[in-house]
Amino acid sequence: MKKMTYLFICMILTFGNGIAQNLEKQAPQGFDVVRNDIPKGKIDTISYNSKTVGVTRRAIIYTPPSYSKSKKYPVLYLLHGIGGDEKEWLTHGQPQVILDNMYADGKLEPMIVVMPNGRAMKDDRATGNIMAPDKVEAFATFEKDLLIDLIPFIEKKYPVLKDRENRAIAGLSMGGGQSLNFGLGNLDKFAWVGGFSSAPNTKEPSVLVPDPQDAKDKLKLLFISCGDADNLIRFSERTHEYLVEKDVPHIYYIEPGVHDFKVWKNGLYMFSKLLFKPVDQSVFNNYSILGTPASTNVRNAKFPQILPDSRAIFRIKAPEANLVQLDLGKKYDMVKGAEGIWEVTTEPLGQGFHYYSLIIDGVAIADPASETFYGMGRKASGIEVPFKGDDYYALKEVPHGEVRRVRYFSNALRQWRQFYLYTPPGYDTQTNEKFPVLYILHGGGEDERGWASQGKTDLILDNLIAEKKAKPMLVVMPDGNMPMAAFNENGLKMFERELKESIIPFVEKNYRVLAGAQNRALAGLSMGGIQTLYAGVQNTDMFAYLGVFSSGWIQSRQTEISDGQYAFMKTNAAKINDNLRQFWISMGGKEDIAYENCKVMMAKFDEMGIKYTYRDYPGGHTWPVWRNDLYTFAPLLFQE
């Protein structure tokens, strides 16, 4: 029975994946070309009395092939842009051709399409200064005209279904903004809403969707599309980002193109074929052709891109290359296209930050389109995958601290070195105030830039301090790499000396910091976690707070070191427990490569009666985990 259940689940998953892979993601060639051998719908001009405007107004109406007054139809209200009128779609988009072809191919539910003039004023012609305030205001006034005058007229004159589930609204540019504003603002009237290249008249997302749960309950389909080279794409993007944050299902559809009818005709095709029939929300994120350029790209670089389903598209121009691969932990073979451009689309990537390289004919290089980061023991590219839980390190309108690069002469190593230093907001103005200090250490293959760049330390602390969740503090991010192997005892001793004899004295001499163990914290990830264990546990008279992220004594390589540490801890258990206000240990779940080592270590702590706090945050041995570690650990520090 269990075997049969397993096979059934596998069949469902395979079938579901097949559906996602076989989605029609754009209109086929010839979708907008007249075909003479198929039934045609009918175009008419209608006039209706507008109490809102005080005049008789006009609209274009399309009725489908085989239209019958004895049958009732759903309705799509299709809106134009700021420079158009009720004829704009008809003149430049020929929706009747697109819809006729779709009916002939069996892709469309029979519906009536109404194309009104969205400029609700007595002289509603697209003449003169179309950006004049009264004309712009008329587009907002159209909401009242639509709801009070036009829809009742259509429902009285034509055989239409009058419930919200059979009413849709969509539009281009200014009409896209109207559609989102009116549709989402009147969920009791519309269950299907589409915005194509929506213009700046689109309301702020929190105003547009003030009640996300209501939107989730009532919307059948929310479709937001735009061309990737459209200067207005930011308005679609900000709406999409808010909807992701609030878990409101929607299709975010980016395609190659600008602000023109090539994009809008494809938008009409993609939107209309989903209307008034069951939709599978689980595949909404699989529709988009293109994604959003990664935040880690260099200025104006379009690739890599992140698709709505967290897959990523990578491109590189290498016309003379014979083999190009993407190394993202997993290697992907890239495919050569026109003009020597190689491309690959990955499987969905985990949230947050990923190192990657491009391998061109066997040589690993950094992607010239991406920012580079010191990781993997060398300079590498990085890609940031957004997710709805990343708000805690988002750039916000809060007071900001500074990250400074500080050079100092190491008394322990007899050489010049550097660390990065975060100073909290107000450090330079509140000159009578002293602050506690967190010393935070990077992992293997990284250096002092890790927490300052990949770790987003400044943004995390800025937001925590602004929300009064963490005490204002300095954060020192030193270079944990020593002139000898970091994982042997000599390397660990050398770092301990560097910390105690060089870094801390330099910080306390040159910056306004509070002295004493109660005002010092030490934390680190991976290699830095081992350094924290070594330098922190034996110096609890210097540090009252220890944070160990994704780390633990390596059983196969550090048994001799760990045995000595455990012996010290067993003898000094009472002192360690008394001195430490926080001994905080975190792992990235069972997939974290340090998980088993940490588990063994904590069992030893339990035997010795060492007090600690442990928590899991899923994500493995990665920066998303460590950012969240800092976010969770920092509020525990320096609390009286």
Side-chain angles (χ1 to χ4, degrees), residues 20-51:
Q21 291 172 2
N22 294 322
L23 287 177
E24 185 178 37
K25 297 187 177 183
Q26 61 183 353
Q29 188 172 2
F31 79 105
D32 56 350
V33 176
V34 175
R35 289 155 57 179
N36 293 321
D37 58 343
I38 62 172
K40 302 290 196 298
K42 184 179 179 182
I43 292 288
D44 283 315
T45 299
I46 60 170
S47 297
Y48 67 98
N49 180 44
S50 172
K51 297 175 184 175

Side-chain angles (χ1 to χ4, degrees), residues 339-619:
E339 301 180 0
I341 295 176
W342 297 74
E343 180 177 317
V344 69
T345 301
T346 70
E347 59 196 26
L349 302 178
Q351 63 190 37
F353 182 86
H354 300 263
Y355 293 115
Y356 76 94
S357 297
L358 299 172
I359 304 174
I360 300 181
D361 291 335
V363 180
I365 66 167
D367 185 348
S370 171
E371 295 286 358
T372 54
F373 304 85
Y374 186 75
M376 305 166 64
R378 59 178 172 80
K379 279 284 191 176
S381 300
I383 184 169
E384 188 77 39
V385 179
F387 67 106
K388 66 181 180 182
D390 62 5
D391 183 68
Y392 66 90
Y393 56 78
L395 184 61
K396 301 178 182 178
E397 290 188 14
V398 299
H400 291 285
E402 291 185 353
V403 172
R404 314 176 185 199
R405 185 171 67 174
V406 180
R407 292 185 173 91
Y408 70 100
F409 187 77
S410 167
N411 296 318
L413 301 178
R414 308 305 299 168
Q415 61 183 233
W416 285 97
R417 290 172 68 82
Q418 69 178 22
F419 59 80
Y420 281 82
L421 173 69
Y422 167 81
T423 54
Y427 177 82
D428 290 325
T429 56
Q430 299 166 12
T431 55
N432 294 323
E433 186 173 354
K434 292 185 177 182
F435 299 87
V437 187
L438 165 62
Y439 296 84
I440 194 162
L441 313 177
H442 60 82
E446 297 168 341
D447 63 12
E448 67 276 12
R449 290 167 284 189
W451 276 107
S453 181
Q454 293 95 298
K456 297 187 180 290
T457 294
D458 58 331
L459 295 177
I460 293 171
L461 266 296
D462 286 345
N463 293 336
L464 285 172
I465 293 168
E467 295 169 10
K468 300 189 183 304
K469 292 180 178 178
K471 293 280 189 180
M473 68 185 78
L474 271 66
V475 182
V476 177
M477 297 161 267
D479 183 2
N481 296 301
M482 295 290 106
M484 58 181 63
F487 290 104
N488 66 34
E489 188 147 22
N490 287 334
L492 291 168
K493 282 181 179 178
M494 184 173 287
F495 176 75
E496 183 183 10
R497 281 190 59 211
E498 170 70 356
L499 183 66
K500 293 170 65 175
E501 297 176 16
S502 301
I503 297 171
I504 292 175
F506 181 89
V507 170
E508 297 192 348
K509 178 182 177 181
N510 291 280
Y511 296 92
R512 299 193 317 279
V513 301
L514 295 165
Q518 71 275 17
N519 296 303
R520 294 192 203 103
L522 179 65
L525 68 91
S526 194
M527 181 186 84
I530 290 175
Q531 290 172 323
T532 297
L533 288 167
Y534 192 91
V537 171
Q538 296 201 52
N539 293 281
T540 56
D541 56 332
M542 293 186 68
F543 304 99
Y545 303 88
L546 299 180
V548 179
F549 311 158
S550 294
S551 197
W553 295 111
I554 303 172
Q555 305 307 310
S556 59
R557 294 168 53 189
Q558 295 181 308
T559 303
E560 187 175 334
I561 303 173
S562 62
D563 285 348
Q565 293 296 303
Y566 294 146
F568 172 85
M569 295 177 76
K570 184 175 182 180
T571 302
N572 294 276
K575 176 186 175 183
I576 292 169
N577 288 337
D578 288 343
N579 286 353
L580 288 181
R581 296 184 179 183
Q582 283 288 340
F583 192 2
W584 197 83
I585 301 171
S586 176
M587 296 298 298
K590 291 185 178 180
E591 64 269 33
D592 195 318
I593 59 173
Y595 182 81
E596 291 301 325
N597 291 332
C598 184
K599 189 176 178 181
V600 171
M601 181 182 72
M602 290 190 298
K604 293 284 188 181
F605 290 174
D606 292 338
E607 289 177 13
M608 294 182 285
I610 297 293
K611 297 176 183 178
Y612 63 89
T613 299
Y614 174 77
R615 74 122 197 195
D616 262 4
Y617 181 82

Side-chain angles (χ1 to χ4, degrees), residues 130-168:
I130 60 172
M131 300 295 292
D134 61 331
K135 293 189 176 182
V136 172
E137 180 61 28
F139 280 91
T141 304
F142 179 66
E143 179 176 11
K144 186 177 178 181
D145 179 74
L146 173 68
L147 298 176
I148 295 177
D149 302 313
L150 180 56
I151 290 177
F153 173 84
I154 295 295
E155 294 182 350
K156 180 178 180 181
K157 185 175 177 62
Y158 290 88
V160 300
L161 297 163
K162 299 180 182 181
D163 55 290
R164 57 180 299 279
E165 287 82 3
N166 288 288
R167 200 179 290 124

Side-chain angles (χ1 to χ4, degrees), residues 63-136:
T63 49
S66 304
Y67 170 75
S68 170
K69 291 184 178 181
S70 63
K71 179 182 177 181
K72 291 192 174 183
Y73 298 86
V75 185
L76 164 62
Y77 293 87
L78 188 61
L79 311 183
H80 60 82
I82 194 168
D85 56 22
E86 73 275 8
K87 298 176 184 176
E88 183 177 29
W89 270 103
L90 194 64
T91 303
H92 302 289
Q94 293 191 299
Q96 75 280 15
V97 174
I98 296 170
L99 300 175
D100 287 346
N101 291 341
M102 294 178 74
Y103 282 123
D105 294 335
K107 294 181 177 179
L108 207 61
E109 289 295 307
M111 70 183 79
I112 292 172
V113 180
V114 179
M115 292 165 272
N117 188 322
R119 191 181 293 100
M121 58 192 305
K122 290 185 177 180
D123 183 358
D124 60 8
R125 296 173 297 167
T127 57
N129 179 11
I130 60 172
M131 300 295 292
D134 61 331
K135 293 189 176 182
V136 172

